[in-house]
């Protein structure tokens, strides 16, 4: 593993300590969902829907160009979305859970 340059928290479920540990620096972590960011030295960034859409489009462009990679823990078909939700609720997923249409 090469390490993590930065982390973006959109879940707000108490993951900030782990993200700070993962990046090695609270300055490399930003959250839009955890209002306790200051307790961890993390920046809380709130923007309106237009700014959020613009940032998500920028992130998507980085993914497409290979400038941003995401770890995928598991992929589920839509028919097993409840299984994905249960796994997520367990709180120990390393990577993203992906739900596909089929």
């Amino acid at each position: 593993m090469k390490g993590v340059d930065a982390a973006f928290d959109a879940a707000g479920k108490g993951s900030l300590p782990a993200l700070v540990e993962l990046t090695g620096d609270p300055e490399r972590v930003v959250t839009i969902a955890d209002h306790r960011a200051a307790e961890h030295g993390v920046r809380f960034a709130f923007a309106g829907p237009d700014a959020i859409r613009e940032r998500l489009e920028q992130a998507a462009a980085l993914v497409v160009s290979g400038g941003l990679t995401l770890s995928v823990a598991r992929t589920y078909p839509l028919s097993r979305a409840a299984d994905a939700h249960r796994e997520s609720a367990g709180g120990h997923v390393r990577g993203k859970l992906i739900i596909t249409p089929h």
Side-chain angles (χ1 to χ4, degrees), residues 6-80:
F8 174 70
D9 170 49
K13 298 204 179 212
S15 61
L16 294 181
L19 294 176
V20 169
E21 182 179 336
L22 190 64
T23 62
D25 184 354
E27 291 289 319
R28 293 178 170 209
V29 180
V30 175
T31 181
I32 61 168
D34 194 332
H35 294 279
R36 297 173 305 162
E39 295 174 24
H40 305 284
V42 171
R43 186 168 28 123
F44 181 82
F46 176 77
D50 291 335
I52 291 170
R53 180 176 46 248
E54 180 181 328
R55 290 178 185 155
L56 289 173
E57 287 171 352
Q58 291 170 349
L62 282 171
V63 170
V64 169
S65 72
L68 174 67
T69 56
L70 301 174
S71 173
V72 175
R74 196 166 333 317
T75 301
Y76 289 93
L78 183 57
S79 63
R80 292 190 51 219

Side-chain angles (χ1 to χ4, degrees), residues 75-97:
T75 301
Y76 289 93
L78 183 57
S79 63
R80 292 190 51 219
D83 293 334
H85 180 45
R86 277 189 287 281
E87 182 174 352
S88 177
H92 298 289
V93 178
R94 292 292 226 181
K96 298 296 179 189
L97 299 175

